[in-house]
Amino acid sequence: MESPSRPTSSLTDESRRVALEESFLRERLSVISNIVQRHINYPPIARRMGWEGKVLVSFVLEPNGDIRNLKVLKSSGYEVLDKEALDAIRRSYKEFPKPPVIVVIKLPINFRLE
């Protein structure tokens, strides 16, 4: 027979994990966003054509700093901008702060010509 304290304990672990994840996102998402922005190379064709847009990407950030499941959730409408958003994350993720738990990150990346 299973002990009644078991579900409570795993619920506590899960709620602690969720709290750590939320706290990390609150404190560090803008840091991660700024790091990615520094690594954006506006594609020359997009610049010439005047293409702008917002790409929503998502990925899993591991406590060791690795990323996985990197993908576009919402396209900018331009494949070249979507690809650059993913490439910018691949170039910059080693600079991201390391989370205390596995964190799912959803990050909007804006491409705006100045």
Side-chain angles (χ1 to χ4, degrees):
M1 183 158 158
E2 211 170 25
S3 102
S5 70
R6 183 99 190 240
T8 323
S9 127
S10 71
L11 187 62
T12 308
D13 289 348
E14 179 60 15
S15 58
R16 189 166 60 241
R17 194 196 66 71
V18 167
L20 284 168
E21 181 177 19
E22 287 172 354
S23 148
F24 178 83
L25 289 172
R26 217 178 13 260
E27 296 166 16
R28 301 285 188 239
L29 193 59
S30 65
V31 172
I32 290 171
S33 180
N34 290 336
I35 292 168
V36 172
Q37 285 301 140
R38 287 200 315 265
H39 285 82
I40 295 276
N41 299 325
Y42 215 110
I45 180 77
R47 194 180 290 284
R48 271 197 309 279
M49 302 297 285
W51 295 342
E52 298 183 327
K54 177 157 77 172
V55 184
L56 183 61
V57 297
S58 102
F59 56 93
V60 175
L61 182 59
E62 304 274 356
N64 68 3
D66 287 345
I67 60 169
R68 61 183 163 86
N69 298 356
L70 174 61
K71 60 183 174 248
V72 172
L73 288 183
K74 188 171 186 301
S75 171
S76 64
Y78 300 103
E79 193 177 328
V80 66
L81 295 182
D82 296 352
K83 182 180 178 316
E84 176 53 32
L86 297 176
D87 289 346
I89 288 172
R90 286 187 195 103
R91 284 192 295 273
S92 63
Y93 79 89
K94 290 196 183 329
E95 297 174 30
F96 295 171
K98 291 183 173 80
V101 292
I102 292 172
V103 178
V104 175
I105 298 200
K106 291 183 176 132
L107 192 66
I109 299 175
N110 291 304
F111 287 89
R112 227 182 258 90
L113 292 165
E114 308 260 84

